[in-house]
Amino acid sequence: MTSTLSETERLASPPAFQQVSTGRKAKNALATVLVWLSFLIAVAPLVWVLYTVIANGIKRIPYTNWWSQDFGSVLSDEVGGGVLHAIIGTLEQGLMCAIISVPLGLLVAIYLVEYGRDTRLAKVTTFMVDILSGVPSIVAALFIYALWITTFGLPRSGFAVSLALVLLMIPVVVRSAEEMLRIVPDDLREASYALGVPKWKTIMKIVLPTAMSGIISGVMMALARVMGETAPLLVLVGYSAYVNWDLFGDNQASLPLLMNTERATNSMEPGSVGFDRIWGAALTLVIIIALINLIATVVSRLVAPKKK
């Protein structure tokens, strides 16, 4: 009797997998359409910008002298020359900025996650990082101008630009590194502590290698942001049409500064020398940032924890 009742109840119960109603299918289709529409709306400006830059800047890119010469040997309205001087200045200023920003930002992130959780100093530090992340680039440039040039009496230079870019890069590095360190499971830390490994060695040998892939990506994102800034260049260094390897003295060009200078001195009519130089420099900057991100992606994959 009990077996028969159980069989009857089992047959009377609804099936585990029921057919999806028409209303749910319609809602799912509507949500899918809205998601794709939002994606296309977000991507459309990016595609349009990339198309515009490539279409207008591709004219000068294929020539060898564009990558191997400067504008010192040609007149401002004369066809020829290249952006080697601006590429060198951009890379030097960005590299110096990264050398200063990455260790500082990473140390701050390690303190916030590993040592200063819920402490008053950590809260103050987080608040100051939030404020610094919202500082306009012109304010950072004016601060370095007042401190480095007016107070200390040092000359305008590419290094002063790097100092201003440091103020813009550190908050991004701190935030990205902090999030990557928080993702590391606490089980890894506890297992290391259980084996008697000191905390500092656990951070160096366990936590940082686990989060290194994401940290590298965050650093490259921050570097790509500051390499396109123009305001610090206008305030802290003058433009030079010649190659200048000295980061600490004299004028030094960079790709954003070159574009601003050409806009001020040459005609912007389509097909003119100034028009081709500006769009060519813009495309060059995009290519350099894309290459840096590509290298960072490869490195992050190599240092990522291997999965069996």
Side-chain angles (χ1 to χ4, degrees):
M1 182 67 179
T2 305
S3 176
T4 305
L5 182 61
S6 300
E7 183 70 17
T8 304
E9 290 178 351
R10 185 178 65 83
L11 293 175
S13 61
F17 299 97
Q18 301 181 13
Q19 186 176 2
V20 179
S21 64
T22 305
R24 291 183 62 183
K25 290 182 178 179
K27 293 178 182 178
N28 179 71
L30 178 61
T32 303
V33 171
L34 291 177
V35 169
W36 276 103
L37 183 61
S38 301
F39 171 75
L40 293 176
I41 292 174
V43 171
L46 175 61
V47 174
W48 180 77
V49 169
L50 287 177
Y51 171 78
T52 304
V53 173
I54 294 173
N56 293 322
I58 196 64
K59 184 182 297 184
R60 303 293 298 275
I61 295 298
Y63 295 100
T64 305
N65 60 355
W66 179 259
W67 302 92
S68 60
Q69 298 180 9
D70 55 35
F71 287 151
S73 58
V74 297
L75 299 177
S76 60
D77 57 350
E78 182 181 355
V79 177
V83 293
L84 177 63
H85 59 306
I87 294 175
I88 291 173
T90 300
L91 294 179
E92 281 192 351
Q93 294 165 16
L95 180 61
M96 180 58 68
C97 173
I99 290 174
I100 301 173
S101 301
V102 174
L104 290 177
L106 191 55
L107 289 174
V108 171
I110 291 174
Y111 170 76
L112 292 176
V113 176
E114 303 294 337
Y115 293 98
R117 293 185 179 182
D118 299 326
T119 62
R120 181 175 298 179
L121 180 58
K123 293 179 181 178
V124 173
T125 303
T126 302
F127 178 71
M128 297 306 296
V129 169
D130 291 339
I131 293 178
L132 195 59
S133 62
V135 172
S137 58
I138 187 63
V139 175
L142 292 175
F143 171 75
I144 296 300
Y145 184 88
L147 179 67
W148 186 258
I149 298 175
T150 304
T151 303
F152 294 157
L154 297 171
R156 300 169 70 200
S157 62
F159 183 72
V161 175
S162 299
L163 293 179
L165 298 181
V166 166
L167 300 178
L168 304 175
M169 185 173 177
I170 282 181
V172 183
V173 175
V174 172
R175 280 300 177 206
S176 60
E178 184 180 359
E179 293 301 322
M180 291 301 104
L181 293 175
R182 291 188 189 279
I183 292 176
V184 178
D186 288 335
D187 295 343
L188 295 179
R189 299 179 175 90
E190 293 170 359
S192 179
Y193 299 152
L195 295 175
V197 180
K199 187 168 186 176
W200 69 269
K201 188 172 288 188
T202 299
I203 296 172
M204 294 296 297
K205 299 293 185 178
I206 304 296
V207 178
L208 284 180
T210 305
M212 188 56 65
S213 176
I215 291 174
I216 292 175
S217 299
V219 168
M220 292 301 103
M221 180 181 66
L223 185 60
R225 180 210 168 188
V226 300
M227 286 180 67
E229 291 289 346
T230 306
L233 299 164
L234 299 177
V235 176
L236 298 171
V237 70
Y239 175 75
S240 173
Y242 297 90
V243 173
N244 178 20
W245 293 91
D246 187 5
L247 192 64
F248 297 90
D250 298 329
N251 296 331
Q252 187 178 49
S254 64
L255 290 170
L257 185 58
L258 183 149
M259 288 184 275
N260 182 79
T261 303
E262 290 294 329
R263 181 192 61 81
T265 57
N266 285 334
S267 172
M268 281 298 296
E269 293 295 328
S272 63
V273 175
F275 183 88
D276 292 341
R277 287 180 178 179
I278 289 176
W279 286 106
L283 182 56
T284 304
L285 182 60
V286 171
I287 292 173
I288 291 175
I289 293 176
L291 289 176
I292 291 175
N293 281 276
L294 179 62
I295 294 172
T297 301
V298 174
V299 174
S300 63
R301 288 181 180 274
L302 293 176
V303 302
K306 301 298 184 294
K307 297 180 180 180
K308 294 184 179 179

